Amino acid sequence: MKFIKTIKLKPLIISLLTPLVLGGAVGIFLSVSGKISMYDQLFKPPLSPPSWVFPVVWSVLYLLMGLSSYIVMTSDVSRGRREDALWQYIIQLGVNLIWPVLFFYFELSLGAFIWIIVLVAAVFKMIVDFGRISRLAAILQIPYLLWLLFAVYLNGAVFLLNG
């Protein structure tokens, strides 16, 4: 398996920090607004993890996203293919950052459920696009897709139990 020959430190750091900082900013906004604590008051389905698990998992997933984007950004494929894949990455990241605002801030569990289905589709497309450039970049996104499928279950169940 071919891996990156030379690590470009500045692009790597920017790639890793971008999703982490953006996701962290949304988390801080929701914490400061007091809205994130509403999750503890909800009826939750079986298999619901404790609240502390979410920032840990999301931090890991954001780092994996950043690493995958770096691999794609520094790949040897044509500029057009890289740009197409990176635009899909940006789109899914934007969709990702809106979901917690819908779910926690606006308390729209049904709207958030519909939105997370859109996110799953966007991430699936990103994985396909990344896979056309780097198998490793695509594989690194499988935990993200699996976590989102679990989040679909949690979001849908929260809607049904608290609707």
Side-chain angles (χ1 to χ4, degrees):
M1 177 167 26
K2 182 179 173 187
F3 193 66
I4 301 165
K5 294 177 185 174
T6 304
I7 294 175
K8 298 173 183 170
L9 194 56
K10 186 176 178 182
L12 176 61
I13 291 170
I14 292 169
S15 296
L16 291 173
L17 287 179
T18 298
L20 200 57
V21 168
L22 292 173
V26 170
I28 290 168
F29 165 73
L30 293 171
S31 292
V32 168
S33 71
K35 293 289 190 166
I36 205 141
S37 63
M38 62 76 89
Y39 184 76
D40 293 329
Q41 310 307 315
L42 295 171
F43 293 109
K44 293 178 271 311
L47 306 178
S48 294
S51 296
W52 66 265
V53 169
F54 294 98
V56 173
V57 169
W58 278 111
S59 294
V60 171
L61 295 176
Y62 284 139
L63 287 170
L64 291 173
M65 265 186 239
L67 182 56
S68 286
S69 71
Y70 170 79
I71 292 168
V72 169
M73 183 187 331
T74 58
S75 69
D76 291 335
V77 301
S78 73
R79 181 178 175 183
R81 284 179 62 197
R82 277 194 319 267
E83 286 179 355
D84 288 348
L86 291 171
W87 271 113
Q88 185 59 35
Y89 167 72
I90 291 166
I91 289 166
Q92 73 76 30
L93 184 57
V95 173
N96 172 301
L97 296 171
I98 292 169
W99 180 87
V101 175
L102 293 173
F103 186 85
F104 293 104
Y105 190 80
F106 293 112
E107 299 181 20
L108 298 171
S109 58
L110 178 58
F113 179 75
I114 294 166
W115 195 257
I116 203 167
I117 300 297
V118 172
L119 178 56
V120 167
V123 169
F124 183 78
K125 178 156 180 11
M126 178 189 68
I127 291 170
V128 170
D129 290 353
F130 278 17
R132 291 181 179 139
I133 295 170
S134 165
R135 184 170 183 219
L136 177 60
I139 289 169
L140 289 173
Q141 295 311 296
I142 299 302
Y144 179 27
L145 183 61
L146 294 174
W147 180 257
L148 286 178
L149 293 173
F150 180 60
V152 167
Y153 157 73
L154 292 174
N155 189 157
V158 164
F159 169 71
L160 293 174
L161 294 170
N162 298 276

